[in-house]
Amino acid sequence: MSSIDEIKDTRIKKLNLLKEKGIDPYPAQSKAKFSLKEIQDNFIDLEKNKEIKWIAGRIMSIRGQGKIIFITLYDGTAHFQGLLKQDILGEEKFNFFNEVVDIGDFVELKGIFFVTKRGEKTLEVEDWSMLTKTILPLPEKWHGLQDIEERFRKRYLDILMDPSVKDLLIKKIKFWDTVRNFMKEKGFLEVETPTLEVTTGGAEATPFKTYNEDFKLPLYLRISVGELWQKRLMAAGFPKTFEIGRVYRNEGSDANHLQEFTNMEFYWAYADYTDAMKLTEELYKKIAIEVFGKTDFETRGHKFDIGGADDKWEQIDYVETVKKETGIDLLNTTYEEIRKKLDTLEIVYDGDTMERLMDTLWKYCRKKISGPVFLRGHPKLVSPLSKSKKENSLLTERFQIIIAGSEVGNGFSELNDPLDQKERFIAQQELLDKGDKEAMMPDFEFVEMLEYGMPPACGFGFGEMLFAFLADKPILETQFFPLMKPKQESL
């Protein structure tokens, strides 16, 4: 088998041969005006009328039989067969095709449509021209890219050679289209909020740091989809807003954790977390049917059913669940007791604050929950932006959606008491001062907005982890172009 360098050298010689003949191997325009899918759909009329048409695409296969060559074109919409005959093309054009064309090249073909004896729609070629001469060969059809890192580094080849990858990514596009259409149908306005922030509000995560040369100001890439900004819009008189956008978290990455991903958040004035629960349950059920065509799923060792319109998701309590699984009453416990329990359970934890230990203990408990369920009754300590419950100020009006042992949605009645919010921000700052990198940065200009007044509101957010779960794929597999370390190679 020839080495890549030998193949490359051979193809460059073919490239130079094209140039010597006065042929541009990379023309700017194609004569083809219809996609191969449109040709397929209108084939009967095209064949009947004996219309002469140009088609174009990448050559995916070449099968030669003496003075006859069959090729398969692919343009991203469909595959289509072309037939080149020496007696129709002429000896010179036919031989030149054999001499300079390789699998992977982009070409355009001119001819008349007919159906072969095997029933395959085909273009009988009267002329051809080069659109893009390739230098490197495509991966073998039956083996593709075997190395996982190579697959993601050369994602364009992975998508090209494996139709299931393309189908998955198209399904992901439909996933976000379904979310967007649902929110608009419910009267929510789609907004855009800053991705560069002075403080990273709205979530607890380690941010990426950057710097604004003009303002001489350190900045952060956002870790939520504009939570504190969308709440400002509530104060500005926008009653229903949502945003779908990228967020960035400077933390560990693996097959199920990313540092850059897409989230959606909505905010709804004059509504509380129970209203958000009803809306999100309806949304998730719509996603299941419209995107996946089913309600029952299996992923990460869990089986679950999203349910129909008349089914209601179970609700479980945060404190009761932790107590049932570990014996710890989070409302009557100590730092030492939780730490001792984590050590007994041999749970590795990052961070040494009461909030972080409490959250780690809960994450141990959630692994057994297949869902879908609503988790309610979160302690105030782990919910710095949520309104407290009237009947118990230690708890908050917050909910999370649990599926397959993970949180795939988070919402609450928004805290709009400026004095309470200021106290919670101060508590978060104390956590930051103690070294908790995931504590929430205070935003006292947000507190000032609350002093001007924000209506009662609920908010909710979820990310593309939900899509990965429903598709039963690691989230890395659902990315168009995952972040990869660059190769250390010289040109």
Side-chain angles (χ1 to χ4, degrees), residues 202-204 272-274 276-277 315-318 355 359 362-363 366 374-389 395-401 407 409-414 424 440 458-461:
E204 297 179 346
D272 69 2
Y273 78 126
T274 60
M277 290 168 67
Q315 298 184 19
I316 62 174
D317 183 81
Y318 189 111
E355 178 186 13
D359 183 57
W362 153 248
K363 288 177 179 176
R366 78 181 182 191
F374 285 119
L375 177 71
R376 298 177 58 173
H378 296 65
K380 184 175 181 179
L381 186 61
V382 296
S383 307
L385 292 171
S386 179
K387 190 182 288 288
S388 298
K389 283 192 168 187
L395 302 176
T396 58
E397 293 191 357
R398 179 184 179 185
F399 72 94
Q400 288 177 304
I401 298 174
E407 298 149 2
N410 181 37
F412 33 77
S413 299
E414 302 295 340
R424 297 196 203 185
M440 190 176 297
C458 66
F460 176 81

Side-chain angles (χ1 to χ4, degrees), residues 454-469:
M454 185 187 88
C458 66
F460 176 81
F462 73 97
E464 56 186 287
M465 179 61 80
L466 174 63
F467 174 77
F469 274 42

Side-chain angles (χ1 to χ4, degrees), residues 35 68 104 126 144 188 239 267 272-273 303-304 354 359 407 453 463:
S35 71
I68 294 177
E126 297 179 354
F188 287 77
Y267 293 85
D272 69 2
Y273 78 126
K303 292 182 179 180
F304 57 92
M354 186 67 166
D359 183 57
E407 298 149 2

